[in-house]
Amino acid sequence: MDTLILSKDTVRQIVARVGLNALMDEMIQRLTRAFEQYDPATTQIPARSGFQYTSPNPGLLEWMPVMANDKITIKVVGYHPTNPTRRNLPTIISNISAYDTHTGHWLAVADGTLLTALRTGAASAIATRALASERSNVVGIIGAGAQAVTQLHALSRVMDIEGVIVYDVNPLVSKTFPDRTCFLNLDIALIGKDSLDYLVTSADVLCTCTSIDPGKGPVFRNVNVKPGLHVNAIGSDFAGKVEIPLDLLKRSFVCPDFTEQAMCEGECQQLAREDIGPMLVEVVKHPEKYAHLRGKTTVFDSTGWALEDMVALELFSDYARDMNVGTRLEIESISSDPRDPYRAVRNGHEA
């Protein structure tokens, strides 16, 4: 009755052995298969819940559960936009756990920080492959932090990228982006705020992954974009926090990852229910119904879906078992007499 612990060191070992490209490819493949096989009759995914606060710093801590295949997976994720500047920590810190529904036993827990970034990038790659024009080759990125790295990495696995245009409100963050993505060997152009319209109008695929405060959006003006622009809107995760101009949303096919959640804290909070398209899982399950959208303006409203976290944890757990890495600990007090709660801790001595 032990629990598999996948620490950051274990995750690092897996990445070193498998390689970033192979991991991203498999994440995209497994997530696509999970979308194709998704059945709401057998998989329960409630909207995430948690706490939002403004003191001592703005942030939130939420839990994202999913139950499927005799297993419950729960991610606990913290979002604190001041972390990078004030503490030199990632904006998003998380862990993902799995539990056995037969017994309640804690099966595994993993560092979720890298896994969240990978699965978020993979989801955008799947949406881009399903909705963007096959001729798309220029990527625009607004917000050059950690999420931008895995967004670009994932897109590079599903499209032929000829150019990348990047803007961040912090010039120092923009400046380091080419170094952080040098393994992709892509042509990256950094622009200032005065050229933000140029970025938006030049992009075939646009990724917005900012930490803009609630009430301060959108992050770019409503301009005449390229016909067939596809947008991966990543940054909205608070009520009142949006990145995309309302006029652009209204003339686009808007595809959320999780409609109920997106209407509370994604770009969909700007729209009426009738203006929102089907979830991405529906588009993936029935590609023939939505093929006509390639070449039209589309928006993937990505707020994060617990099914993606389940897939990410299973991917890394499988590699950990195959490679015999990770730590196994007997965390739970399991007594040989289930009716005696003290037996497991007495070491044979009477209390």
Side-chain angles (χ1 to χ4, degrees):
M1 296 291 288
D2 54 14
T3 302
L4 176 62
I5 312 294
L6 305 181
S7 67
K8 67 175 184 179
D9 290 332
T10 303
V11 171
R12 185 184 299 118
Q13 286 178 277
I14 294 170
V15 170
R17 183 87 62 88
V18 180
L20 282 171
N21 286 341
L23 273 174
M24 182 60 83
D25 289 345
E26 190 165 358
M27 186 76 79
I28 293 170
Q29 180 184 28
R30 286 194 182 206
L31 196 52
T32 300
R33 186 164 62 247
F35 286 171
E36 292 171 342
Q37 297 175 351
Y38 170 69
D39 182 355
T42 58
T43 303
Q44 297 182 40
I45 310 178
R48 64 187 174 208
S49 181
F51 301 103
Q52 288 192 23
Y53 35 87
T54 58
S55 178
N57 298 118
L60 61 81
L61 195 143
E62 297 179 317
W63 38 95
M64 301 172 63
V66 52
M67 182 170 71
N69 303 322
D70 300 326
K71 187 186 298 182
I72 292 173
T73 302
I74 302 175
K75 182 169 77 173
V76 177
V77 55
Y79 172 81
H80 297 85
T82 61
N83 268 359
T85 54
R86 295 191 179 184
R87 301 174 184 84
N88 198 32
L89 293 172
T91 299
I92 298 172
I93 298 178
S94 66
N95 61 76
I96 309 174
S97 293
Y99 302 87
D100 178 11
T101 59
H102 293 284
T103 63
H105 170 51
W106 189 11
L107 297 168
V109 60
D111 161 46
T113 305
L114 175 67
L115 273 62
T116 296
L118 282 172
R119 64 80 155 148
T120 304
S124 290
I126 293 169
T128 300
R129 186 171 59 190
L131 295 172
S133 168
E134 294 177 352
R135 297 185 297 274
S136 298
N137 54 39
V138 176
V139 175
I141 298 176
I142 302 177
Q147 291 293 322
V149 175
T150 47
Q151 287 292 303
L152 185 58
H153 182 205
L155 291 181
S156 74
R157 308 308 297 171
V158 298
M159 58 182 289
D160 183 14
I161 300 176
E162 295 182 1
V164 183
I165 310 170
V166 177
Y167 167 75
D168 194 283
V169 67
N170 185 339
L172 294 178
V173 175
S174 291
K175 185 178 180 180
T176 63
F177 188 74
D179 288 337
R180 287 182 277 128
T181 56
C182 62
F183 67 99
L184 299 175
N185 296 314
L186 293 173
D187 181 18
I188 297 176
L190 306 179
I191 58 109
K193 186 175 182 179
D194 292 343
S195 300
L196 189 53
D197 285 356
Y198 165 75
L199 182 156
V200 175
T201 57
S202 300
D204 298 308
V205 174
L206 175 64
C207 295
T208 57
C209 28
T210 73
S211 295
I212 192 169
D213 292 332
K216 299 296 185 180
V219 298
F220 61 91
R221 298 193 309 156
N222 181 42
V223 294
N224 292 323
V225 299
K226 278 186 178 180
L229 171 71
H230 173 71
V231 181
N232 294 309
I234 306 303
S236 290
D237 48 19
F238 269 73
K241 179 181 178 184
V242 297
E243 297 179 310
I244 312 302
L246 177 57
D247 285 347
L248 178 60
L249 286 176
K250 284 189 171 181
R251 64 178 190 265
S252 303
F253 172 83
V254 179
C255 172
D257 53 0
F258 190 11
T259 305
E260 179 183 355
Q261 192 169 276
M263 292 186 71
C264 295
E265 53 188 63
E267 299 299 330
C268 288
Q269 64 189 298
Q270 301 187 71
L271 300 173
R273 181 63 185 86
E274 59 267 22
D275 295 325
I276 302 170
M279 287 171 47
L280 178 61
V281 65
E282 168 70 13
V283 175
V284 173
K285 286 169 76 74
H286 305 286
E288 70 287 348
K289 290 175 57 177
Y290 303 98
H292 68 281
L293 293 168
R294 306 187 74 168
K296 299 184 182 299
T297 307
T298 56
V299 175
F300 171 49
D301 188 4
S302 174
T303 59
W305 200 28
L307 183 69
E308 300 163 1
D309 300 311
M310 182 186 76
V311 172
L313 180 57
E314 288 177 349
L315 170 63
F316 277 80
S317 296
D318 287 348
Y319 272 116
R321 295 185 185 97
D322 290 345
M323 295 166 53
N324 196 28
V325 297
T327 303
R328 291 192 171 275
L329 294 178
E330 292 186 0
I331 297 175
E332 298 149 329
S333 293
I334 306 297
S335 169
S336 57
D337 181 354
R339 297 176 179 81
D340 183 353
Y342 296 136
R343 188 176 185 88
V345 296
R346 275 201 303 246
N347 293 322
H349 300 290
E350 292 299 321

